[in-house]
Amino acid sequence: METANLEQTRNIASKLARKAKRGDCYCLIGDLGAGKTEFAREFIRTLCGNVTVASPTFNILQVYEPNIYHFDLYRIKAESELTEIGLDEALQNGICLIEWPQIAENYLPQNRVEIYFEIVDETTRKIEIK
Ligand code: ADP
Ligand code: MG
């Protein structure tokens, strides 16, 4: 599907969030600026209320009470680092949103949801959910 603006992307995020449960893993895949963090922000705010959602680009993981784990694995270069940042534990105990999940592929559950973002033009994004 296509979203014509940020608001439409947010609508998709909050719809999915309302169905999310413990153990669910959402992979957010797409280029820089495609909308992964904006999607995660609305997803988290749907479940956690009016919280501030910063991009985890620099600290890799942000946790939101009670059990949402928002990862950005862009800066992870070795699979061995994934244990250190607590990926396993997050996957077992919470709802995970993972930007740049490629490096973690061997660790992710089979039944994960993959969401692909593609930039069409300044305000249009193609979003595919698998
Ligand atoms: P990423 O995390 O994928 O690098 P961000 O979510 O941080 O990207 O940034 C997406 C940018 O694109 C934001 O500035 C947002 O306002 C803008 N944008 C414009 N149109 C859309 C859209 N339809 N859906 C999502 N973001 C959009
Ligand atoms: Mg991002």
Side-chain angles (χ1 to χ4, degrees), residues 10 14 39 92 107-108 122:
R10 286 179 175 154
S14 70
F39 181 99
Q92 276 167 35
Y107 294 81
L108 299 177
E122 206 175 315

Side-chain angles (χ1 to χ4, degrees), residues 91-109:
L91 288 168
Q92 276 167 35
N93 298 324
I95 296 167
C96 290
L97 294 160
I98 309 178
E99 299 184 44
W100 300 101
Q102 289 85 343
I103 185 103
E105 212 186 326
N106 296 332
Y107 294 81
L108 299 177

Side-chain angles (χ1 to χ4, degrees), residues 36-37 55 57 72 99-100:
K36 303 180 295 297
T37 298
S55 171
T57 301
D72 184 326
E99 299 184 44
W100 300 101

Side-chain angles (χ1 to χ4, degrees), residues 57-121:
T57 301
F58 293 101
N59 41 355
I60 298 165
L61 169 64
Q62 306 265 14
V63 183
Y64 300 87
E65 293 300 327
N67 67 346
I68 301 193
Y69 298 81
H70 181 194
F71 291 91
D72 184 326
L73 304 181
Y74 188 74
R75 289 146 60 92
I76 300 285
K77 296 299 171 220
E79 280 189 335
S80 58
E81 294 172 60
L82 296 170
T83 327
E84 290 161 35
I85 63 170
L87 180 63
D88 282 351
E89 214 182 296
L91 288 168
Q92 276 167 35
N93 298 324
I95 296 167
C96 290
L97 294 160
I98 309 178
E99 299 184 44
W100 300 101
Q102 289 85 343
I103 185 103
E105 212 186 326
N106 296 332
Y107 294 81
L108 299 177
Q110 285 301 318
N111 63 349
R112 62 188 179 263
V113 179
E114 295 186 333
I115 305 167
Y116 291 85
F117 298 82
E118 216 177 286
I119 300 175
V120 177
D121 63 31

Side-chain angles (χ1 to χ4, degrees), residues 34-49:
K36 303 180 295 297
T37 298
E38 289 293 355
F39 181 99
R41 180 169 285 131
E42 184 66 18
F43 188 108
I44 292 162
R45 288 166 67 97
T46 298
L47 295 177
C48 301

